[in-house]
Amino acid sequence: MESTLKRTWSEIDLDALKHNYKVLRARVGENVKFLGVVKADAYGHGAVEVSRTLEENGADYLAVSSIDEAMELRVNGIKMPILILGHTPKEQVGRLIEYDITQAVTCLSKAKEYSNEAERHGKPLKVHIKVDTGMSRLGFLCEGQYFDTGVQNITEAVNEPFLNAEGIFTHFAVSDEPGEEALEYTKHQFRLFTDCIDAVEKKSGKKFEIKHCANTGAVAKYPEYSLDMVRPGLLLYGYGEFAKDLGLRPVMTLKTVVSTIKIYPAGTKISYGGIYTTTDTTRIGVLPYGYADGFFRCLSNRCELYTTEGLAPQRGKICMDMCMIDLTGKPGVDIGSEIEIFGVHNPVEKLAELAGTIPYELVCAVSKRVPRTYIKDGRIIGKELMLRM
Ligand SMILES: *Cc1c(COP(=O)(O)O)cnc(C)c1O
């Protein structure tokens, strides 16, 4: 573990996470529940430590994408309610009940399956109904001509004897997009969602305790859509334009070190394919960071990494385990010097834009051979390597 720590590693600033949570909590107010989305190993930040921090600071709910992700939290002592947003096979209903995990229900046939399984275990399964209001992914369809059947099916689902429908939710497709069209689309999704809830509550005679729809875009731009609970992911981790506007801090810093330095004459081709040729005497550093660590090969020869003497251009094709940077004119950067791949000095947003993607993808891509260091109260409180040792 110690040996790998000074190769390439990520620093997870739990103080920044706490700060982000507090800022967002103040924004939504005390009367709205707060669900932290920690799917995909908390967007690559480590779901257990992130969840512990949220739990300590008073968050109300967590969301993951699968039962395995939910179980990881339970076996590591997380007691908060956990919602599984994605599919769980009916064979796992017993475990959902045993570990007090809430399951999203996305259609009537699954509602029936889950209820039947729960009955076999003699206990109700806690569920949140998922409504498709325009994301066109999971959920009971209730747009336009489907409104009445949607309401009918949800009513039947919540009346299933072994389902406890604690909540109902929908997901916005364009809440984070600028422009009038996105605003109208989001408004329409919201109205359809609340109309659908009203109709189901009237028809079933049951009230949903937790209605929720606000993801990052909505928390930032439509605070009036908070309902009973907000459900941000990206904002918590402090990335994207909204995070900046709200004064949030990036939680992950990805670092590596210079492993080798060599000086080449002009005319030297660097790395596979020889796409970069030196034009002068050039001091090249080799970094133990490649696409198998989560670097995007499409960034080859197009990005910069941050050294103690400022930004250094990355040169030539990015390899599986290594890449090269130009350290010419940076005499203070030597073998063993730390390089910030992304973080406070070299924002992940900039790399994401260059790669034609979103920050979500870069933080999720940090691979399991990259160990994590967790920082709390300004001190290192834990180190973690995902490899089987
Ligand atoms: C991932 C996800 C979120 C969080 O999205 P962000 O854009 O990161 O805030 C919220 N709700 C659902 C259903 C999701 O799948």
Side-chain angles (χ1 to χ4, degrees):
M1 179 72 201
E2 289 304 326
S3 62
T4 54
L5 254 183
K6 282 275 172 184
R7 181 183 173 267
T8 294
W9 69 101
S10 72
E11 292 179 0
I12 306 300
D13 184 352
L14 298 173
D15 299 326
L17 177 69
K18 178 177 170 178
H19 166 83
N20 296 347
Y21 170 75
K22 297 268 178 195
V23 169
L24 295 172
R25 165 53 87 191
R27 182 175 173 79
V28 301
E30 288 300 324
N31 296 326
V32 174
K33 286 182 191 287
F34 196 109
L35 177 151
V37 179
V38 296
K39 64 191 180 195
D41 204 15
Y43 294 38
H45 294 68
V48 172
E49 289 302 336
V50 165
S51 298
R52 279 183 190 148
T53 301
L54 293 175
E55 191 165 55
E56 274 170 28
N57 286 283
D60 301 283
Y61 233 109
L62 298 168
V64 296
S65 63
S66 69
I67 187 167
D68 293 336
E69 290 185 344
M71 288 305 299
E72 183 190 22
L73 300 181
R74 282 287 180 262
V75 301
N76 282 284
I78 301 295
K79 302 274 191 295
M80 296 166 72
I82 301 172
L83 171 63
I84 298 179
L85 299 165
H87 174 64
T88 300
K90 67 176 194 299
E91 292 74 16
Q92 302 286 343
V93 165
R95 279 168 90 215
L96 292 176
I97 294 170
E98 183 183 351
Y99 289 92
D100 192 21
I101 296 164
T102 311
Q103 174 61 42
V105 170
T106 57
C107 64
L108 183 56
S109 58
K110 283 192 192 170
K112 290 183 165 158
E113 258 179 26
Y114 288 155
S115 183
N116 291 340
E117 281 296 313
E119 183 167 15
R120 288 202 317 115
H121 291 88
K123 280 188 195 154
L125 174 66
K126 205 195 292 175
V127 299
H128 285 204
I129 301 292
K130 176 76 182 279
V131 187
D132 182 354
T133 55
M135 173 71 185
S136 310
R137 197 172 62 180
L138 294 178
F140 290 81
L141 197 51
C142 65
E143 172 75 291
Q145 63 183 107
Y146 294 104
F147 188 80
D148 292 337
T149 43
V151 168
Q152 176 61 33
N153 288 347
I154 296 171
T155 304
E156 281 183 42
V158 303
N159 283 331
E160 279 294 324
F162 278 81
L163 297 187
N164 166 16
E166 174 192 57
I168 187 163
F169 70 112
T170 194
H171 194 43
F172 291 128
V174 292
S175 62
D176 57 345
E177 300 281 344
E180 194 61 26
E181 210 175 310
L183 185 136
E184 285 306 322
Y185 198 90
T186 305
K187 218 189 231 179
H188 175 76
Q189 279 197 272
F190 184 74
R191 198 171 312 131
L192 185 57
F193 182 49
T194 51
D195 286 351
C196 175
I197 294 170
D198 290 344
V200 170
E201 290 192 336
K202 203 160 151 209
K203 210 173 170 108
S204 68
K206 290 181 181 166
K207 293 271 181 217
F208 294 102
E209 191 185 319
I210 311 177
K211 310 174 195 86
H212 52 110
C213 59
N215 57 355
T216 282
V219 170
K221 291 174 64 177
Y222 308 96
E224 66 276 23
Y225 296 167
S226 294
L227 297 176
D228 301 311
M229 181 161 81
V230 293
R231 211 175 62 225
L234 195 75
L235 269 189
L236 265 179
Y237 307 106
Y239 310 116
E241 48 173 327
F242 306 128
K244 215 159 133 197
D245 296 343
L246 292 169
L248 306 180
R249 289 160 46 192
V251 174
M252 185 191 297
T253 302
L254 191 63
K255 289 187 175 173
T256 188
V257 289
V258 178
S259 69
T260 301
I261 293 182
K262 282 151 80 190
I263 297 178
Y264 298 103
T268 307
K269 290 185 184 308
I270 307 290
S271 192
Y272 289 122
I275 62 167
Y276 179 79
T277 307
T278 56
T279 53
D280 277 298
T281 303
T282 304
R283 187 167 174 261
I284 290 281
V286 182
L287 308 181
Y289 172 60
Y291 60 78
D293 300 289
F295 210 179
F296 282 20
R297 191 166 172 275
C298 66
L299 287 170
S300 292
N301 219 24
R302 306 171 49 213
C303 64
E304 294 175 309
L305 303 181
Y306 186 82
T307 74
T308 46
E309 296 194 7
L311 290 167
Q314 188 275 318
R315 300 296 194 201
K317 285 276 186 213
I318 292 164
C319 311
M320 184 182 285
D321 310 309
M322 287 171 258
C323 67
M324 275 63 94
I325 60 173
D326 192 337
L327 297 174
T328 308
K330 293 184 171 58
V333 182
D334 209 337
I335 291 170
S337 293
E338 287 190 8
I339 304 290
E340 180 184 300
I341 297 157
F342 59 75
V344 175
H345 303 96
N346 200 30
V348 69
E349 291 85 350
K350 196 174 85 178
L351 285 181
E353 195 178 334
L354 273 175
T357 185
I358 51 179
Y360 298 73
E361 200 180 350
L362 272 89
V363 286
C364 285
V366 176
S367 77
K368 68 176 183 181
R369 78 176 184 197
V370 177
R372 290 191 192 113
T373 301
Y374 294 101
I375 297 163
K376 187 180 175 185
D377 301 326
R379 288 187 313 113
I380 294 175
I381 58 146
K383 294 175 185 176
E384 179 177 70
L385 179 62
M386 311 296 276
L387 299 182
R388 302 203 311 196
M389 297 291 193

